[in-house]
Amino acid sequence: MTESAAGWLAEFVAGAQSASPYELVAVALGLAYIVLAIRQHRACWIAGGASTAIYIVVFLKHGLLLQAALQVAYVALSIYGWMAWRAGGDLPARPQAWPLSKHLLAVLAVLLVTAASTPLLAQYTNAPAPFADSLGTWASVVATWLLARRYLETWFWWMVIDSGLATLFASQGLAFTAGLYLAYAVLAIAGWRTWRGSLSAAA
């Protein structure tokens, strides 16, 4: 094991030992959310909404203000996802593709909003990582909307977002949450493969 890997493992163990019960429950519900989402099970939105509601408290405690605000948006998006995935709703029964041009516009919008919110967060709050907090927040909003609309490419977004957020959370001592987001990034690959197979079957 390299020195850097050993150091990260030591930090993970230390953070895990100090993890609050709230964080542990949120992690368990978060894992249930991603597994159910991969299986396109509507109950994913219940698990996801409960997990994010708990994370509001966890992130506020650690000074990640935009991430805490994002959890509020996640709760609202969970309600939207629950309604959108209902039987007889307006969504196709299987995943669908989103045009590349729209992805590029979404990325541009995320970068513009991040550029606007980062200096505000740095000036008016004690946020420890204003840029990472902002970028992760706005990108996650787009990715969650893509998931709610059953767009296949949501999993590409999550691969990148979750890897970055894992680093952010680890730097703030949220060891279990960092581990959860690393698991999200890996599970996003499984999500992509599963949804792509479903899309191919529909075609």
Side-chain angles (χ1 to χ4, degrees):
M1 181 180 294
T2 64
E3 183 177 347
S4 60
W8 189 92
L9 181 59
E11 291 181 6
F12 180 88
V13 172
Q17 291 173 340
S18 63
S20 69
Y22 293 108
E23 185 181 352
L24 297 179
V25 173
V27 166
L29 288 169
L31 286 172
Y33 158 73
I34 196 70
V35 171
L36 289 169
I38 290 173
R39 296 173 63 86
Q40 299 184 60
H41 197 296
R42 192 181 179 207
C44 72
W45 298 110
I46 297 177
S51 176
T52 54
I54 296 171
Y55 266 126
I56 294 172
V57 177
V58 174
F59 289 144
L60 282 175
K61 179 180 177 181
H62 287 266
L64 297 171
L65 302 184
L66 271 188
Q67 284 299 316
L70 172 62
Q71 306 312 303
V72 177
Y74 274 165
V75 172
L77 284 168
S78 293
I79 296 172
Y80 171 77
W82 171 259
M83 297 300 295
W85 283 28
R86 71 188 185 280
D90 63 343
L91 285 182
R94 296 178 184 273
Q96 53 190 325
W98 211 43
L100 176 60
S101 59
K102 292 186 177 181
H103 283 287
L104 294 176
L105 288 175
V107 170
L108 178 60
V110 166
L111 293 176
L112 289 175
V113 179
T114 297
S117 62
T118 297
L120 295 175
L121 202 61
Q123 182 175 355
Y124 296 108
T125 74
N126 294 321
F131 175 75
D133 198 0
S134 296
L135 182 60
T137 295
W138 301 120
S140 295
V141 169
V142 174
T144 303
W145 180 83
L146 290 172
L147 178 63
R149 298 302 299 175
R150 280 207 185 104
Y151 286 120
L152 173 65
E153 295 83 4
T154 183
W155 299 111
F156 280 134
W157 282 73
W158 286 123
M159 288 175 204
V160 177
I161 294 168
D162 291 334
S163 297
L165 288 178
T167 303
L168 171 63
F169 297 145
S171 71
Q172 300 307 308
L174 293 168
F176 275 177
T177 299
L180 171 65
Y181 275 74
L182 280 177
Y184 277 171
V186 173
L187 286 170
I189 300 173
W192 159 256
R193 295 182 58 148
T194 300
W195 280 34
R196 183 181 61 178
S198 183
L199 179 64
S200 299

